Amino acid sequence: MIIKTYTAGFLENNIYLVLDEQSRKGLLIDATQCLPEIIEDAKDYDIKYIFLTHGHFDHILGLNDLKKALNAKAVINQNDIIVSDNVNEFTRLFNMPDIVPPEYEIFVKDGDELIVGNIKIKVLFTPGHTQGGVCYIIDDRMFSGDTLFRESVGRTDLFGGDFSKLKDSIKNKIFKLDENITVYPGHGPTTTIKHEKRYNVI
């Protein structure tokens, strides 16, 4: 399995391309921008899905273009449709042009598993940053979106945010996982669950 990381947008979002060399299939996690390098790196693979960790504007701005370019289906938790549908309420705050709110083909919930080639993606429902925030676990790696960062956590002062839920998601779900899992967040560097249990301020 290959994981390629791209950083895009003024908030320096991480986008992850996960590729299975054996089956030549793959997936994308979050969709800030349709970068040419993503399309180039994915050209020899069948990208089945684009997984959204949540519906905030900075994670979905490039989703419409990426869906077309990769011929992929978009995946999100149903609870974040309201955030995604109102994406332009956020873009206008930053004087950005309106976009067409994305459409989603697949809605996931806690415990769901999707298969892409030899890659098994498990869904962990982690509300708090948004009502429909999820993390995606692949073997000993977790893609945490804006739920968990290195020595920090996602903000909860935006629509749908709830600090008590975020704290519960981290302490009673994420911190119950294997400590050796590497965490790939929506912003910033990778970390591990072991490191966060010791140093995170939550």
Side-chain angles (χ1 to χ4, degrees), residues 142-155:
M142 184 179 73
F143 300 86
S144 63
D146 290 2
T147 296
L148 181 67
F149 304 127
R150 180 177 174 86
E151 299 180 14
S152 185
V153 299
R155 61 190 295 179

Side-chain angles (χ1 to χ4, degrees), residues 14-47:
N14 292 327
I15 307 168
Y16 300 102
L17 180 64
V18 184
L19 303 170
D20 175 27
E21 288 186 286
Q22 185 175 3
S23 69
R24 310 304 289 181
K25 297 182 185 297
L27 59 111
L28 196 69
I29 298 176
D30 284 333
T32 301
Q33 188 175 339
C34 187
L35 299 173
E37 50 266 44
I38 295 176
I39 308 307
E40 175 66 22
D41 290 341
K43 68 180 182 180
D44 295 325
Y45 293 82
D46 177 15
I47 307 302

Side-chain angles (χ1 to χ4, degrees), residues 40-199:
E40 175 66 22
D41 290 341
K43 68 180 182 180
D44 295 325
Y45 293 82
D46 177 15
I47 307 302
K48 304 293 290 183
Y49 306 110
I50 301 174
F51 289 86
L52 286 306
T53 56
H54 63 292
H56 276 158
F57 80 103
D58 54 317
H59 291 257
I60 66 171
L61 284 174
L63 182 55
N64 289 329
D65 290 339
L66 282 162
K67 283 178 64 177
K68 291 178 182 177
L70 300 173
N71 191 29
K73 296 179 180 179
V75 181
I76 199 170
N77 179 269
Q78 181 76 50
N79 291 352
D80 263 15
I81 291 298
I82 187 172
V83 178
S84 178
D85 283 349
N86 289 280
V87 58
N88 294 314
E89 296 297 321
F90 292 91
T91 58
R92 292 166 192 163
L93 292 175
F94 294 94
N95 295 314
M96 300 173 67
D98 286 359
I99 68 166
V100 177
E103 295 185 1
Y104 300 89
E105 288 72 41
I106 298 173
F107 301 101
V108 291
K109 61 183 184 303
D110 192 52
D112 283 353
E113 292 186 352
L114 286 83
I115 305 295
V116 176
N118 297 301
I119 302 171
K120 179 185 289 186
I121 305 98
K122 184 175 181 179
V123 179
L124 183 68
F125 183 53
T126 53
H129 177 63
T130 63
Q131 295 179 24
V134 297
C135 298
Y136 297 106
I137 301 171
I138 302 174
D139 297 332
D140 59 350
R141 301 168 177 89
M142 184 179 73
F143 300 86
S144 63
D146 290 2
T147 296
L148 181 67
F149 304 127
R150 180 177 174 86
E151 299 180 14
S152 185
V153 299
R155 61 190 295 179
T156 56
D157 59 330
L158 299 175
F159 173 79
D162 186 319
F163 183 75
S164 64
K165 287 184 178 180
L166 181 70
K167 185 174 182 178
D168 180 70
S169 292
I170 293 172
K171 287 189 172 292
N172 295 317
K173 290 187 175 182
I174 292 176
F175 283 179
K176 300 293 186 182
L177 300 172
D178 188 329
E179 290 188 344
N180 295 313
I181 288 177
T182 300
V183 179
Y184 293 76
H187 305 266
T190 59
T191 184
T192 64
I193 290 178
K194 182 178 182 179
H195 182 90
E196 298 313 307
K197 286 176 73 172
R198 183 172 182 181
Y199 295 108

